[in-house]
Amino acid sequence: MLRFVRPVLFVCGILILIMSGLMACVAAFAWWRQDPEMEVFLISCGITLSCGLFLVFSCRTPGFHLISRQLYLLTSLSWVLLSLVGALPLFFSHFQLSAVDAVFEAVSGITTTGSTVLSGIEHLAPSLLLWRSLLQWLGGLGVIGMAVSILPFLRIGGMRLFHTESSDWSDKSIPRIQSLARLLVVTYLTLTVACTTSYWLVGMTLFDAINHAMATVSTGGFATDDRSMGRFDAPVLWVSTLFMILSALPFTLLIAFARRPSLMLFKNQQVLGFLGILLAVTLLLTIDLIDLNLFTPYQAVTEAAFNLVSVITTTGFAAGDYTQWGTFSIALFFVVTFIGGCSGSTSGGMKVFRFQLSYLFLRTQIRKLIHPNGVFVTQYNGKPVQDDIILSAIAFSFLFFVTLAVVTLLLATMGLDLLTSLTAAATALTNVGPGLGEIIGPAGNFASLPDAAKWLLSLAMLMGRLELLTLMVLFTPMFWRG
């Protein structure tokens, strides 16, 4: 067992050392700003550095190769450990967060969910605001790296459908993986810089622009004010809408476009489906808002586009309390909570391709009922879809809704009302951020929830971010028996 776990702990140690380096950078920023939280980040950096060095030196294994079982463990354990060390500055801060609140906030950040237990965020020290944004930015980078390189190999992520994975983990594939990793980082950095510049040009301060850009590109949704994006004008909202959409597209597609610009690259069934959904629901909500005389036509389309894109891409920004727009808007926002962006992006949710595959599978089944002897091939992007990919999508969907039901029931036993229980479970599993209702809606937060509910939702956020099966498999006896 020790031989099995040591390489995993070694890699986790390296990731923890990276976190300690980020803490040191934030401590330097705090020193420059004469921030009272500087000592907090130095203490947290020291603890994190010690833990990382201990794991690296005690578990050092030269020339190891990770097998699939180790990758399952590495993927889950790394997100848990990064969440725990990410909570240290929040726990030691002068904001006096409890352990459960600090962990909840860190898990929400690293999983790019965007749910928060904090109020009066604008009064937080700049270093803590920057740390929350960094957690989301790092989590977003980890999401696309996991979606493109690890989950396809484990036959969980949807990227296997788009033939971007490397299923051969021999020495021959390592240069290809390293090259893809570099391109992903460069693309992610470029998108972040472009978003920061755009925010700054339309009126944000540089500090706000940097923080909101990291939250936008990671589709995380942490803001620097309790009002989220509600304190900004329409130009800022449109810039945010654009970059949320870009960040919800497959990053491999963005890399291909950067290397050889062509609109033909976007003739992708998943991308077209994603953009079609955005356009259709925005049009529906815009018409409803105009009909209710809540906004002028331009304000209506701005509010509808921004808030719907924010929820569908699982970013979680809010420009106002959309639960006050009537029953139709509440129902619409609840439905689109489950959609998510494209596979291989930073967004969460069930992902568009799973809905498309389910539709194609249903259509094929109906054809077979009409023509029992007919032979029908399910195609996606002009290529036949393997049966195991469809079965994987069905298994994920079944597990998702079973988990949603269990988490909802557990939250209800803790005294939460049905709307809060259901939408809290949904927003955690889809990594959206705000739920619905007076407590956890876009105008509220998760502070008043019982501690047990926060621990449960923290687990649900991790499960949703890891595509459920990655974490679930660790709880099976077969996994540990090998």
Side-chain angles (χ1 to χ4, degrees), residues 99 103 115 126 176 208 292 314 317 407 414:
V103 171
S115 302
R176 215 174 89 188
D208 273 344
L292 293 173
T314 72
F317 283 140
V407 175
M414 300 173 192

Side-chain angles (χ1 to χ4, degrees), residues 74-146:
L74 171 62
T75 304
S76 300
L77 187 59
S78 60
W79 284 81
V80 172
L81 291 178
L82 291 180
S83 297
L84 292 177
V85 297
L88 291 176
L90 298 167
F91 177 69
F92 290 126
S93 73
H94 295 88
F95 212 71
Q96 296 181 332
L97 288 180
S98 64
V100 60
D101 283 349
V103 171
F104 180 92
E105 196 77 10
V107 170
S108 179
I110 206 75
T111 59
T112 71
T113 303
S115 302
T116 185
V117 295
L118 301 176
S119 57
I121 296 173
E122 60 272 19
H123 302 302
L124 279 178
S127 58
L128 288 177
L129 292 174
L130 182 61
W131 181 244
R132 292 170 78 243
S133 301
L134 271 173
L135 284 176
Q136 292 205 320
W137 191 83
L138 183 66
L141 184 60
V143 166
I144 55 174
M146 179 181 68

